[in-house]
Amino acid sequence: GNSVTQMEGPVTLSEEAFLTINCTYTATGYPSLFWYVQYPGEGLQLLLKATKADDKGSNKGFEATYRKETTSFHLEKGSVQVSDSAVYFCALSDSLDSGGGADGLTFGKGTHLIIQP
Amino acid sequence: NAGVTQTPKFQVLKTGQSMTLQCAQDMNHEYMSWYRQDPGMGLRLIHYSVGAGITDQGEVPNGYNVSRSTTEDFPLRLLSAAPSQTSVYFCASGRSNTGELFFGEGSRLTVL
């Protein structure tokens, strides 16, 4: 079955530091990959996505590249801000390969990121 | 711009009581789902639906029922609440062919 593994944290960084959150996956098909972000007291919201190998997703200064050879989708940001403090979830969906009919995303356990001023 | 609306936001139940968590979306999405979020466990899929009249079980369906009579609504029912169902519940919707989901703000349930 599908699975996603990510570092759980908490990860504590100083403002303007470089961020990497590792994510690796196991999937039987050709999944799409996602990063979701959850701010305190809120639901998850999509941060970025990539639908095929070597695609790079980017949004709000965050980037992640779909690496099929290493089955990875690591999240990076060059200079983090206090407002980036949140929980970050890596996820995959193989619904596109099955011809539609999303039967749910498979999520990692989430990485709690704390940015100190 | 309502998106996905969940009610109630907070609920306390006694063991054995029943209740329904409501979920409504106004984006005409075919796909809707319920997840529970527990510390150290991430999000786990309870039930999902790919259209009105169609539902299926996810990873942790026991103790929960769902129905999908309209495209907009996807209620989650707890028939006899147990302390193990204390959790934060999220409803999500999306288009079946993208895998991208839109989440509600969550419902925090405590079962005593």
Side-chain angles (χ1 to χ4, degrees), chain A residues 6-8 32-33 35 38-39 43 58 77 79 88 103 117:
Chain A
Q6 61 179 110
M7 51 199 300
E8 293 185 31
S32 293
L33 301 175
W35 277 100
Q38 183 181 31
Y39 298 103
S58 62
K77 187 175 184 182
S79 177
Y88 292 81
D103 58 357

Side-chain angles (χ1 to χ4, degrees), chain B residues 44-109:
Chain B
R44 293 181 290 170
L45 181 65
I46 304 171
H47 285 285
Y48 67 96
S49 168
V50 297
I54 306 168
T55 64
D56 208 343
Q57 297 180 350
E59 181 185 356
V60 288
N62 293 340
Y64 308 95
N65 283 345
V66 292
S67 59
R68 184 94 180 270
S69 57
T70 66
T71 299
E72 294 79 19
D73 299 300
F74 191 46
L76 179 71
R77 297 183 185 87
L78 286 71
L79 297 180
S80 179
S84 61
Q85 293 178 305
T86 294
S87 187
V88 180
Y89 292 85
F90 288 98
C91 180
S93 73
R95 300 196 185 283
S96 294
N97 62 348
T98 68
E100 177 180 343
L101 294 183
F102 296 81
F103 283 80
E105 294 185 346
S107 297
R108 183 176 293 275
L109 174 66

Side-chain angles (χ1 to χ4, degrees), chain A residues 19-50:
Chain A
L19 168 70
T20 300
I21 300 177
N22 291 336
C23 171
T24 58
Y25 68 90
T26 303
T28 54
Y30 301 92
S32 293
L33 301 175
F34 305 84
W35 277 100
Y36 281 80
V37 58
Q38 183 181 31
Y39 298 103
E42 299 183 8
L44 282 70
Q45 49 187 277
L46 180 67
L47 180 59
L48 53 84
K49 67 177 182 181

